[in-house]
Amino acid sequence: MPARLTDWMRPNDAPVGAVAPQSSAAIVSDSADAPLRPNAKLRELSPAESADVCAATAREMEAHGKELAAIEQYERARSFDRRRKGIAPRLAVLYDRQGNHERASTEYATALREEPKNADLWNDFAYFQFEREAYDEAEQSARRAVALDGDHKRAWVNLGLILAERQRYDEAYESFTRAVSPAAAHNNLGIILARQGNADEAREHLAEAHRIDPTLRQPHAVLAYLNELEQDASEIAATDEASPVAVGAPSATTSRRRPKLREPETEHVERR
């Protein structure tokens, strides 16, 4: 048994004190430094106080990367206080990171019922849906976010991503420019088009991005990548015409190291 009151209240000690549902007692004494005595007065924590302790522990666990422990503590906090707001958004993020997308979706729905006018939540949900390739729903959620907050730059970028994925490039460009410069918007579209295999259109946007702002590094790097791919394809075609490759033999580019297509800085969106 801990010798001092403060030993019961360490935030990392989830199993002791009021953190665990099966033990909701806290010591009350005249001094926080007073020794624990057999006749010390005890009082039961209220459900709200127990939820506070669990939620605080969950935040501590999450801050230290202990996501499973954080989930457990957030769920315990909810068990003490079913009406407590703010738990569902964190559980949505944590369940998503753990790959439990069904639970994450349920928590997002709960969070949005609690705070239907929270633009950040709608933006996070839009990105979650985008990652699941639910593009119709993702667009609706992103539009809810920008309707609630017209200056929400992350939501405008996410909406641009969704629209570009649906090949509505003009609308995507307009969405991007609500958050980033025209050069960055062209850069974003160029990278998305390159991923979709539209190399010619990608080059046009990347070249325009470089023309508007020559200091951007990504358009030049991605153009070089596309040019190398084109050169590789030409060399393979020439090699195949000269001497057909036997089935199973390595291609002309097997050992060649290509630059990796980097994530565009302006496209990447931190949603947490």
Side-chain angles (χ1 to χ4, degrees):
M1 176 177 293
R4 304 171 72 87
L5 170 61
T6 51
D7 290 338
W8 285 87
M9 301 304 294
R10 288 179 297 175
N12 290 331
D13 291 342
V16 300
V19 174
Q22 63 270 24
S23 176
S24 59
I27 305 284
V28 176
S29 66
D30 295 333
S31 170
D33 294 322
L36 180 63
R37 300 187 302 275
N39 61 349
K41 294 181 180 179
L42 300 178
R43 74 173 177 85
E44 292 293 322
L45 290 179
S46 69
E49 290 172 325
S50 297
D52 284 341
V53 175
C54 292
T57 303
R59 290 191 293 269
E60 185 77 13
M61 296 295 101
E62 191 175 356
H64 287 83
K66 300 178 180 179
E67 295 184 346
L68 291 175
I71 288 173
E72 180 181 3
Q73 291 303 316
Y74 279 126
E75 293 286 12
R76 286 180 175 178
R78 176 181 281 166
S79 73
F80 283 117
D81 185 357
R82 293 287 179 184
R83 297 182 179 181
R84 174 173 292 259
K85 295 181 179 180
I87 290 178
R90 299 315 312 155
L91 283 174
V93 171
L94 291 168
Y95 278 125
D96 185 15
R97 290 175 181 170
Q98 294 299 314
N100 191 339
H101 302 139
E102 184 176 352
R103 285 298 302 272
S105 182
T106 299
E107 294 298 340
Y108 272 122
T110 299
L112 288 167
R113 283 196 301 270
E114 293 175 349
E115 299 184 77
K117 295 184 179 181
N118 188 320
D120 288 336
L121 274 176
W122 281 109
N123 174 63
D124 288 353
F125 192 37
Y127 197 82
F128 172 80
Q129 293 167 317
F130 172 75
E131 289 181 320
R132 309 278 83 74
E133 299 183 359
Y135 301 127
D136 288 343
E137 295 84 352
E139 180 181 348
Q140 293 173 14
S141 297
R143 290 195 183 280
R144 287 288 295 272
V146 297
L148 289 165
D149 182 358
D151 295 324
H152 202 301
K153 292 186 176 182
R154 291 180 297 130
W156 281 113
V157 170
N158 282 344
L159 180 58
L161 289 174
I162 296 162
L163 293 170
E165 192 65 35
R166 307 185 77 182
Q167 301 182 11
R168 291 156 58 184
Y169 302 118
D170 290 342
E171 293 177 74
Y173 176 80
E174 293 300 323
S175 293
F176 284 139
T177 56
R178 296 292 296 267
V180 300
S181 68
H186 280 292
N187 175 68
N188 282 357
L189 277 176
I191 290 176
I192 294 168
L193 285 160
R195 288 176 176 167
Q196 294 175 344
N198 298 324
D200 291 340
E201 292 182 62
R203 286 189 179 91
E204 291 178 8
H205 283 282
L206 293 166
E208 182 64 11
H210 182 71
R211 185 193 67 79
I212 296 172
D213 185 356
T215 65
L216 285 180
R217 293 177 296 175
Q218 277 193 317
H220 179 75
V222 179
L223 280 169
Y225 173 86
L226 292 174
N227 290 337
E228 183 171 354
L229 286 181
E230 186 176 41
Q231 182 179 356
D232 288 348
S234 299
E235 291 177 0
I236 292 171
T239 302
D240 288 345
E241 290 178 4
S243 55
V245 179
V247 175
S251 69
T253 59
T254 299
S255 61
R256 180 174 299 181
R257 298 182 63 184
R258 297 176 179 168
K260 186 178 180 181
L261 186 58
R262 296 175 55 197
E263 291 287 331
E265 296 173 8
T266 49
E267 181 189 345
H268 179 65
V269 178
E270 291 293 339
R271 53 183 179 123
R272 319 295 194 235

